[in-house]
Amino acid sequence: MSNSMDNRKTPCRFHQSGGCRYGESCRFLHIGPPGAAGFARGRGRGAFSSPHTPRTVGPNPPSDSSPTSRPHNACQAFWDTGECPWGFECRRKHISSSTTEGTDHATDASRSTHASPNSSTAQPHVNQIVSPAEVHNFLGTCLHPNFQFSRPAVMQRFVDAVVSASSTSAKWTLADTQTFLHTVTEPGGSGLLRIGEILRYEQVSTDSRPSSLHFRQAIPQTLSFQSGYLPLLAYFASDSVIRSTYHHHVNALYGLLDVDFARAASTLTRCMDDLIISKSFKTTHLSGSSAFKTLTSVLYEYCTRFKTAVSRHPEFSPLIKKLGGWFKVWSEDIQSANPTFNDTLATVDIRNREFTIKQLRRSLETLEDVVNRAERATRRVAERPKELHSRNMVEAQLASLINLSLSYEGPGELREDGPRHDNDFESIADIRIAPTHDELCSPLAPFLPANFPGAPHHLPPQSMERLLDIQFRLLREELLAPIRSSITQVLDDLRQPPGTVTRLQDLLSRGGGLYKSLDGHSPTFTVYAEVRAEKLEYEITRKVVRLGNYHATDQFVADACLLDTLVKSEESTRTDRNAAYRHLGTMREVQEAMSKLMEKIINADTTQPSLDDYLILHHPDHFEELQNPPYWIQHTLEEFAGFQDADGHVDTHMDYWSKGKDLKLITPPVDGARPIVQPVQHPRQTGGGYRAILSRTSEVEGSAHSPPGADPPIRTVGDAWLLDKLRYFRKIGITEVPTLPKGQRDIQALLEDPKVWRMSWEERQTICAYWTNEVRAELQTVQMADFDGLKRKLEDAQKLREESLNAAKHAVLSRAQIIGCTTT
């Protein structure tokens, strides 16, 4: 019974997050409407809403200057009743309405505007370019079959990885971008599932800020259209995707749009309408030109790869018309003398604006033409008599099968009259790749099986052997047909009766020339006549190249130029020499980068890595709790904001927690039991101040009759410490000193419990050491992969430099008439 009564004082977390299935019979306390605190507890940045009033939406929330109005960020429950069921975990200030009359609100205002390392105006997210090794390490978690996006922040980091793969950063080579594309877009893989989840995600907002809540590092609740959704679509239209040779993977990527195009069109329409109406893209890194280029390119690629996109999706044509309308509004404003659209393109000169808009308009018109043609084709198909068309197709196919069956002659021994030549066999394993003389001179046509269902063939239908047989014979015939045709024409001329003027005889009499067939289908080749060898006269020449050392005893040999000297001096080798110098510069840059990376690897154990990105991905609940401490901890952190350590570092939430500064504030002194010889006498409180503290005699004799809220008697060092802490916490609306967390749970229990501010000092050391080791292990993997990448880059540059030098040497040697070698 006592446990049930205690539970009724504890807020129900399910009621806060949206609803409790037990309803009124729940053992825990239901405060406010369902879901009032769910935004902060489960998904938001930490503004603990329930039982507080909802946050005012808008840039200028109303304020009341009357002394009885609740101050900003004050706890509603504590303001009304003087008590808060959340206690030390409350995210808002504890200010009672009965103690605010006559107080100076300027102090609170100055404190709220005091600089803090963890509370600042939220800035738009900018996509970060990371190295291939970091992306690979990140994908190791995201591409796990059981992985799910727990927060939009994790989606944003996935988009950052995608944006990195489509960037022109020097960190990414062409091979890296294609490897990423092959990995992420593997048909049936987890990468396509992750991208599809983002495309189908409905909580997409054009708000440039990560969140409207107070704490800067909190996890956002919506995916940014400008920094998340649109950059993902830009990857679809990037050169690394469009120009890739992985056509099957690229089609699978665009297939995600085809699966649920209606939802993607709805998101694009809603967000673009909002941006056009507000006349701003709300971020400095996104302009209208890049947005319209992305949308036009993606939609063009999609409808050209999926020919039935326009006919199957009724939302496609309206979206294109909306796109044209958005572009018209934006372009007319940008081209005006005084643009009102908040766009970076509006700051450039009018000529550049007109040129950019002209290029975008041309791309948009091309897309509209494609859509219009697809719509006309759809209407023609709908109006065409389907029964007559299908009947004609069936009859034509049946006639082709009958003709093939009547004229079919199998290969090799399966032919009624035997093999056509000495390289005609039933099995392709017996056929020589290179043609034989008998095969080239044979007047019979080769065996070429028809490649469509129902056609006659000597192998079983629907078998792999049959498919390989057809593909092998057709591919080999494609290579041999021009050679066989040329030989056949020459043999036909040679077989003509004596005295007949043939094309071959005419060309030989004229000294050679092009042999063209009469039908125009056979290949054209050149016939050479009167070819004979002539003996060149030997003569001494100055075009001599000497290989060997720099010294020679013979004067003639000494006068001959060394190969290395000619390579450095001749004008014909300038291009290759410049290429070799560039590759040498690349080698030096890579060597310098390898030295810096090795220094980081060596010093990795002596530096504390950043844990924010790791916690957001692997432990988002711990990160959310960490960034939203109880009110008294947030108050002390803001109170000491701006104070630097000896090394000039300003504490963040992570620093404050990992160093245990909140624990130090409520840790009693070690010598707390030591008595105080002269008890301290406190001044009597008057008016709205503190209550008068009784004298030592009164404390001893009448402590049982002390009024509620009176300061405790001071007999020991611990009593003095407690009184000092009580005075501090009463100033911020807390009536007692928070309890010091104790315990030493194992790492598994700590990972399952996100209440990081309830952890003792020993537990914080344990979980911090675990997180640090995990981050360092991931960092080491990334650094080793980076080192391997630099090593390969160095080897490639060295190889290219050698190829350039060899090309220069080849240019010199190819023009030399005498090449000599000296060994002395």
Side-chain angles (χ1 to χ4, degrees), residues 154-170:
V154 185
M155 292 185 181
Q156 183 63 64
R157 275 162 173 73
F158 185 85
V159 173
D160 288 344
V162 173
V163 171
S164 300
S166 62
S167 68
T168 56
S169 173

Side-chain angles (χ1 to χ4, degrees), residues 37-57:
F39 182 78
R41 175 73 63 180
R43 296 165 291 151
R45 276 190 159 189
F48 201 87
S49 303
S50 179
H52 317 299
T53 57
R55 295 179 60 89
T56 302
V57 179

Side-chain angles (χ1 to χ4, degrees), residues 746-817:
D746 57 13
I747 185 61
Q748 187 61 33
L750 297 177
L751 294 177
E752 294 175 356
D753 183 11
K755 299 295 183 181
V756 293
W757 295 102
R758 290 183 180 179
M759 296 181 183
S760 64
W761 172 244
E762 293 78 8
E763 292 175 339
R764 296 186 186 186
Q765 288 181 311
T766 300
I767 196 170
C768 268
Y770 173 81
W771 287 342
T772 301
N773 292 335
E774 290 292 315
V775 172
R776 284 177 176 170
E778 291 184 358
L779 182 60
Q780 184 179 12
T781 303
V782 171
Q783 289 175 338
M784 294 305 298
D786 287 340
F787 186 83
D788 293 338
L790 291 174
K791 183 179 178 182
R792 290 192 299 269
K793 189 175 181 180
L794 179 62
E795 294 174 351
D796 293 340
Q798 185 176 4
K799 181 180 179 180
L800 292 175
R801 180 173 181 270
E802 292 177 356
E803 291 179 354
S804 299
L805 292 176
N806 291 336
K809 293 178 181 179
H810 179 269
V812 174
L813 294 174
S814 63
R815 286 185 291 273
Q817 294 183 350

Side-chain angles (χ1 to χ4, degrees), residues 113-120 216 634 637-638 641-642 650-651 653:
T113 58
H114 190 70
S116 172
N118 303 287
S119 59
S120 62
R216 180 184 62 179
Q634 180 65 28
L637 183 58
E638 293 181 354
V650 178
D651 284 339
H653 283 104

Side-chain angles (χ1 to χ4, degrees), residues 417-490:
D417 297 333
R420 297 166 178 83
H421 46 74
D422 60 355
N423 201 25
D424 183 24
F425 297 100
E426 175 184 352
S427 174
I428 58 175
D430 300 329
I431 299 176
R432 287 180 50 186
I433 302 297
T436 63
H437 178 272
D438 190 23
E439 181 180 7
L440 293 176
C441 299
S442 173
L444 300 177
F447 171 70
L448 295 178
N451 188 17
F452 61 85
H457 197 277
H458 61 284
L459 292 175
Q462 307 298 328
S463 63
M464 181 60 68
E465 293 79 5
R466 177 170 177 165
L467 176 63
L468 291 176
D469 182 273
I470 295 175
Q471 297 298 329
F472 173 80
R473 295 181 188 273
L474 294 180
L475 179 60
R476 186 171 182 272
E477 177 63 18
E478 183 179 358
L479 298 175
L480 296 184
I483 302 175
R484 184 190 302 109
S485 177
S486 301
I487 294 176
T488 301
Q489 294 182 69
V490 174

Side-chain angles (χ1 to χ4, degrees), residues 136-152:
H136 178 271
N137 188 50
F138 176 77
L139 292 180
T141 300
C142 290
L143 299 187
H144 192 275
N146 297 329
F147 177 84
Q148 290 183 347
F149 288 120
S150 58
R151 300 289 193 278

Side-chain angles (χ1 to χ4, degrees), residues 238-252:
S238 62
D239 290 342
S240 59
V241 173
I242 295 178
R243 299 184 179 181
S244 174
T245 57
Y246 295 125
H247 303 294
H248 189 52
H249 293 71
V250 175
N251 291 335

Side-chain angles (χ1 to χ4, degrees), residues 27 100 216 357 386 556 663:
R27 297 180 301 164
T100 56
R216 180 184 62 179
I357 292 175
K386 296 183 179 180
F556 173 79
L663 301 181

